[in-house]
Amino acid sequence: MLQPLENRIALVTGASRGIGRAIALELAKQGAHVIALARTQGALEEIDDELRAHGQEATLVPCDLKDFDALDRLGLAIHERWKKLDIFVANAGVLGPVSPLSHIDPPAWENVFAVNVTANWRLVRSLDGLLRASNAGRAVFVTSGAGSNAAMNAYMGAYAASKAALDAIARTYAAETAETSRVRVMLANPGPLRTKMRAALMPGEDPMVLRAPEEFAPKVAAMCAPDWSETGKFYDFKTDAVKGFRAPA
Ligand code: NAP
């Protein structure tokens, strides 16, 4: 029987651990060929080993997202090999400093914006033509409630501001592709999940009270499928609902 993502070419950033790893494995399980990007080469090789045990393989891209020229080269390499990209999951992110706005060092702020915002814009710039060349290009940006809920974000200012900017990039890209292509663009909010990032934010929390990334991954896979039709919307895992953008009252 044909798998839902059979032969789809899928780039997943932050695939070395946590949510991105779970998404990469889920997309592969559903038939996609995964291009797995992160800095930690050994962790990417473990994904490839896991897939090879099931007769599949991944394309590994050990890369720092702050190397913006490398993101341009990645687009060219995907074009040379496949001439298109079916799925782009912009998952990689950093939490950054957990401290009052007035205490954040400028380099720490800039690092959060480089990874969470600029790298994702550079990837849109590099991959747009490839997504449009697909018969059903899908982009999913992994965001956070922090981007739209500033009242809750004391001490997470850099992260919250970066996710608000990411939300704007995704909605803008959705608006730019909705009428002129078959590309569909979603934001996906996992809520608190059992990962290294969450443990860094909440060191005293029992991780076992949290849901696992493997539960969220099939929801992202559904948004990557050719039959997904929504665009410019926000999927919230906690409520399992697709929401439109709500401007402040
Ligand atoms: P995580 O466990 O810390 O994993 C982050 C991933 O991003 C890793 O694979 C890491 O790979 C990659 N990454 C970080 N900086 C990078 C860089 N400069 N270049 C390339 N890759 C980089 O975090 P997570 O919890 O899975 O988070 C994934 C996404 O979900 C993030 O966007 C996060 O904001 C969002 N999110 C998470 C939660 C949660 O509760 N976990 C809640 C809401 C939103 P390397 O270190 O190998 O490079």
Side-chain angles (χ1 to χ4, degrees):
M1 206 178 79
L2 217 58
Q3 298 268 46
L5 302 178
E6 194 80 32
N7 296 326
R8 310 305 284 171
I9 309 297
L11 171 65
V12 181
T13 68
S16 60
R17 62 169 185 268
I19 296 169
R21 182 179 200 279
I23 293 171
L25 291 173
E26 181 66 29
L27 298 184
K29 192 173 111 190
Q30 296 198 18
H33 176 84
V34 170
I35 305 166
L37 184 151
R39 289 167 303 183
T40 313
Q41 184 158 355
L44 295 178
E45 282 166 2
E46 280 173 27
I47 292 191
D48 193 42
D49 290 346
E50 197 164 329
L51 293 180
R52 278 173 193 274
H54 296 93
Q56 280 179 291
E57 58 182 27
T59 297
L60 307 183
V61 184
C63 167
D64 189 330
L65 284 167
K66 288 181 286 180
D67 181 353
F68 301 137
D69 292 342
L71 305 184
D72 289 347
R73 290 195 298 274
L74 175 62
L76 289 174
I78 293 172
H79 181 262
E80 266 175 29
R81 184 155 168 200
W82 292 288
K83 306 276 182 264
K84 60 150 190 176
L85 180 68
D86 301 304
I87 297 166
F88 167 37
V89 181
N91 161 80
V94 289
L95 177 62
V98 181
S99 60
L101 281 169
S102 57
H103 294 198
I104 297 174
D105 284 333
W109 176 277
E110 279 158 19
N111 184 57
V112 172
F113 269 70
V115 177
N116 294 2
V117 182
T118 309
N120 284 315
W121 162 65
R122 290 293 298 247
L123 282 166
V124 166
R125 190 172 170 274
S126 178
L127 304 174
D128 173 54
L130 295 163
L131 288 165
R132 287 175 189 265
S134 166
N135 62 355
R138 302 286 176 260
V140 179
F141 293 82
V142 179
T143 186
S144 158
S148 45
N149 197 358
M152 304 290 289
N153 295 330
Y155 315 121
M156 290 172 62
Y159 181 76
S162 74
K163 290 298 189 181
L166 180 69
D167 291 2
I169 288 170
R171 288 199 308 272
T172 302
Y173 188 45
E176 290 171 358
T177 48
E179 305 297 333
T180 56
S181 77
R182 288 183 290 267
V183 176
R184 296 293 169 262
V185 183
M186 289 294 294
L187 285 152
N189 173 27
L193 296 187
R194 194 188 312 147
T195 70
K196 192 172 168 187
M197 181 187 288
R198 177 71 187 183
L201 177 66
M202 306 288 273
E205 184 176 65
D206 174 4
M208 297 320 288
V209 304
L210 300 171
R211 296 171 83 184
E214 289 71 19
E215 296 177 56
F216 175 60
K219 303 294 184 178
V220 174
M223 290 180 256
C224 295
D227 66 359
W228 182 267
S229 57
E230 302 270 23
T231 197
K233 298 204 173 148
F234 180 100
Y235 169 75
D236 182 50
F237 182 48
K238 191 171 167 206
T239 53
D240 194 26
V242 172
K243 302 176 177 180
F245 173 65
R246 194 159 45 89

